[in-house]
Amino acid sequence: MIARNIQVVKEKIIQACNKVSRVDNFPILIAVSKTKPIEMLQEAYDAGCRDFGENKVQELIDKYDKMPKDIKWHMIGHLQTNKVKYIVDKVALIHSVDSLKLAMEISKEAVKKNVTVDVLIEVNVAGEETKFGVKPEDTEELVRKIAVLQGIHVKGLMTIAPYVENQEENRQYFAKLRQLSVDIRDKNIDNVYMDVLSMGMTGDYQVAIEEGATYVRVGTGLFGERQYIV
Ligand SMILES: *Cc1c(COP(=O)(O)O)cnc(C)c1O
């Protein structure tokens, strides 16, 4: 079932690339496995997935220990500074940096463990009050401040678009994030790359790819609906 879902999503990714004649920088599918059991992750792994996304530190560490070591783990959820130390040497990319305080903690722990941590700046492009992320107009300033820290590299930007019925409604936000990354890249800030755009989820990844996403984060579309136990 999961293998079939992966195949379907990958076909849609190719379709989206073809629609805009995109030939290079093929988007990478992150299997968002939060709340899902190891057996399902293993199924996705066996079907070829090597990028997994989690939003809770404890869950990420548990799964990191149990799953094969060639997986790239993506921290996509809000990260508390006191938990940074548990994941800096385990994750390939932290998508959710939205404050200097968090970046400084990542830098401190990275230096301690002698690693370099790649991060994205989470931008609240749609200005939703319920969402984390910096405002578009504050992004460059934050990037500049993080750029001088040791052990941390800003690789690009991430956004979580609003939940919508019709993904076309989110095109404006994806386009805005891409433009913001281009604007910042044009400033040629030392130690800042801006070649990663993490945007698009189950409901809107095709439009996100058309607008330049390099990572799409798909959960429900691969593993089915999530059940949250409260
Ligand atoms: C849960 C989550 C996703 C995946 O959402 P789906 O709609 O299930 O694809 C993507 N990104 C983030 C940051 C998430 O928390």
Side-chain angles (χ1 to χ4, degrees), residues 32-190:
V32 176
S33 48
K34 62 191 186 197
T35 79
K36 297 297 179 185
I38 287 290
E39 297 73 49
M40 292 181 92
L41 277 72
Q42 189 63 49
E43 229 180 299
Y45 180 90
D46 293 340
C49 278
R50 291 296 179 273
D51 291 86
F52 288 80
E54 290 286 337
N55 68 341
K56 294 217 159 62
V57 166
Q58 188 58 51
E59 192 175 344
L60 190 152
I61 297 168
D62 287 347
K63 288 171 172 173
Y64 175 94
D65 286 339
K66 289 178 184 143
M67 292 292 291
K69 289 292 161 274
D70 61 340
I71 287 174
K72 287 185 182 162
W73 292 95
H74 297 260
M75 178 60 194
I76 60 173
H78 183 65
L79 182 55
Q80 288 169 299
T81 48
N82 61 346
K83 300 210 170 136
V84 166
K85 56 178 175 288
Y86 303 117
I87 61 160
V88 278
D89 55 348
K90 296 188 171 63
V91 291
L93 187 63
I94 298 174
H95 292 232
S96 46
V97 173
D98 64 355
S99 72
L100 183 61
K101 184 174 165 235
L102 176 59
M104 285 171 74
E105 184 65 20
I106 293 169
S107 168
K108 191 183 96 190
E109 291 299 328
V111 169
K112 226 190 255 180
K113 293 203 165 70
N114 201 19
V115 293
T116 301
V117 182
D118 289 340
V119 306
L120 305 179
I121 307 301
E122 180 172 352
V123 185
N124 187 353
V125 187
E128 289 182 288
E129 273 176 29
T130 53
K131 296 249 167 86
F132 292 104
V134 285
K135 292 180 186 154
E137 61 269 31
D138 296 338
T139 306
E140 185 185 331
E141 193 191 333
L142 179 61
V143 166
R144 284 186 185 279
K145 286 177 178 161
I146 297 175
V148 299
L149 300 176
Q150 292 192 329
I152 180 168
H153 280 161
V154 179
K155 291 286 185 182
L157 306 178
M158 176 272 220
T159 198
I160 304 172
Y163 178 79
V164 289
E165 290 291 334
N166 175 3
Q167 54 176 316
E168 283 299 330
E169 291 172 44
N170 281 339
R171 186 181 293 278
Q172 53 177 323
Y173 302 123
F174 299 139
K176 196 169 170 190
L177 193 74
R178 182 193 47 193
Q179 189 56 52
L180 186 60
S181 84
V182 169
D183 290 346
I184 295 174
R185 188 197 297 150
D186 287 348
K187 305 279 165 74
N188 287 315
I189 306 165
D190 268 359

Side-chain angles (χ1 to χ4, degrees), residues 32 34 55 76-77 158 160 200-203 217-221 224 226 228:
V32 176
K34 62 191 186 197
N55 68 341
I76 60 173
M158 176 272 220
I160 304 172
M201 318 192 343
T202 297
R217 312 176 306 264
V218 180
T220 312
R226 284 176 294 275
Y228 289 100

